Amino acid sequence: LLKSNALVSCRRRRRWTMKLRDDELMGFAGVWHKAQPFVNGSVAASIALLFVQPADVFKMRYQLGSQLGFRQLARKIVKEEGLSGLYKGLDAGLARQMTYGMTRLGVFRTLSDWCKRKIERERPTGSAAGDQAPVQLPLWQKGVCALTAGGIGAMVGNPADLAVVRLTADGGLPKALRKNYAGVFDCLSRTAKQEGVLGLWKGSGMTVTRCMAVNLGQLASADQARDVLENLGAKKGGAVSILGGSVVGGFVGAVFSMPFDYVKSQVQSMQPDKLGKLPYKGAVDCARKTMARHGPARFYAGFLPYFFRQAPHAIITLCLLAELTMIEDHLEDELEQEMHHPKLHKAKRALFPK
């Protein structure tokens, strides 16, 4: 009798423990799947930046008026600032990717998944789930998700974006005008002290416009190109669809956003003259004066370094993002199968369809 009671008690404890484990795993799965797009976006964008930061320095110097060729400009930067000059503003760039990059990629994927779940719920229930084609959003919905994510990400990341512009531009200014920032935190603290906290959001209107253009051209077109390639026979989630979509997104994003990036850089890096007067009243005034003095081609000054910065960054980011997501989903599937939790597996699929 004692053995029987002990056995029953053991079974009850095991069932309670398994239920607790199921609840904990469901809770963790819910939190992780909400955070996953943001975490993966931050990691992918930060790694990609390490490969393209020198191109960002080149782009900024050309936008400030440098007429030197690639080699001459590289020699000048290395001679005056050392090899570290090619990575000027890297700390600010990483801070930007961990704020703006994380937010724009995470919000875009979250909104896209929400739209897909909404379409799935509205599908007729007569056919089996396996017979239905994967949900593909129309281009206009992808565009709305991209514009929203770009605007939110820009507001979150504007202080770091301002620091990137000022750190990379500082070495190209005359020695008398250089601020000689020690790093991203020094730049942010000095800006806040001299211009007020709101000074960290200087040029934010142009930043939002530029980031919305980047997202519209980059993320929406990359998703659309990926869907087109998969409809033409490319494997879903395969190298062809991921790489092809990333290349298209990188090119279209660079073309869309270059004029906005030029104006944003001019506004954020402008310095007062001897009389304390700024060259531009704002983004619109900058665009108008640039058009009147130099013509429309000026907005694409430094396009090659900008393209070689934007396109590889977009390609590396989107490829890494897709790969990280697939690896994590595969590991989750294996873990669930090993633990023999069909209820958990089914519940997760219902809440977070791929």
Side-chain angles (χ1 to χ4, degrees), residues 15-253:
R15 282 198 299 270
W16 182 83
T17 304
M18 293 297 290
K19 184 180 182 303
L20 180 62
R21 188 181 298 172
D22 282 355
D23 293 340
E24 288 176 348
L25 286 171
M26 278 300 297
F28 173 77
V31 172
W32 169 243
H33 277 274
K34 289 178 181 177
Q36 184 187 36
F38 296 89
V39 175
N40 289 350
S42 176
V43 172
S46 298
I47 292 174
L49 180 69
L50 300 177
F51 293 91
V52 300
Q53 179 64 19
D56 205 39
V57 175
F58 277 92
K59 181 263 298 182
M60 181 58 61
R61 299 299 169 85
Y62 280 122
Q63 287 183 343
L64 291 176
S66 177
Q67 301 297 320
L68 299 175
F70 279 113
R71 291 184 179 179
Q72 291 85 352
L73 182 57
R75 288 173 183 170
K76 181 176 184 295
I77 292 173
V78 173
K79 182 179 179 181
E80 294 181 359
E81 305 172 47
L83 286 174
S84 61
L86 296 174
Y87 278 87
K88 192 85 171 180
L90 177 62
D91 52 350
L94 289 172
R96 181 175 181 270
Q97 296 306 327
M98 292 177 186
T99 51
Y100 159 69
M102 175 188 70
T103 305
R104 77 180 183 100
L105 292 169
V107 171
F108 176 74
R109 188 51 53 203
T110 300
L111 290 177
S112 297
D113 290 344
W114 180 82
C115 291
K116 288 179 180 179
R117 289 198 297 272
K118 185 178 179 182
I119 293 174
E120 283 184 338
R121 286 195 297 267
E122 294 172 354
R123 278 180 166 179
T125 57
S127 57
D131 299 333
Q132 294 179 345
V135 175
Q136 292 183 349
L137 297 180
L139 182 58
W140 73 266
Q141 282 192 341
K142 295 172 184 172
V144 171
C145 293
L147 290 171
T148 304
I152 296 173
M155 290 305 297
V156 173
N158 194 84
D161 189 72
L162 182 104
V164 170
V165 171
R166 294 194 173 183
L167 284 167
T168 53
D170 195 53
L173 296 173
K175 291 185 178 181
L177 297 176
R178 291 181 187 177
K179 303 290 186 180
N180 296 315
Y181 298 112
V184 58
F185 295 109
D186 179 49
C187 178
L188 292 174
S189 63
R190 286 166 65 177
T191 300
K193 288 178 182 177
Q194 296 168 8
E195 305 173 36
V197 175
L198 292 179
L200 297 174
W201 274 268
K202 178 178 285 187
S204 59
M206 200 63 224
T207 304
V208 169
T209 307
R210 180 250 180 195
C211 291
M212 291 173 74
V214 168
N215 260 27
L216 179 63
Q218 188 182 105
L219 299 183
S221 64
D223 262 24
Q224 185 67 18
R226 196 174 301 164
D227 288 345
V228 169
L229 289 170
E230 290 174 358
N231 291 339
L232 292 174
K235 181 182 177 182
K236 180 176 175 58
V240 174
S241 63
I242 292 174
L243 183 59
S246 302
V247 170
V248 172
F251 177 77
V252 177

Side-chain angles (χ1 to χ4, degrees), residues 22 25-26 29-30 33 336 341-353:
D22 282 355
L25 286 171
M26 278 300 297
H33 277 274
E336 288 165 1
H341 286 318
K343 185 178 76 171
L344 176 64
H345 188 78
K346 183 178 179 181
K348 198 202 82 168
R349 282 289 171 270
L351 287 171
F352 313 105

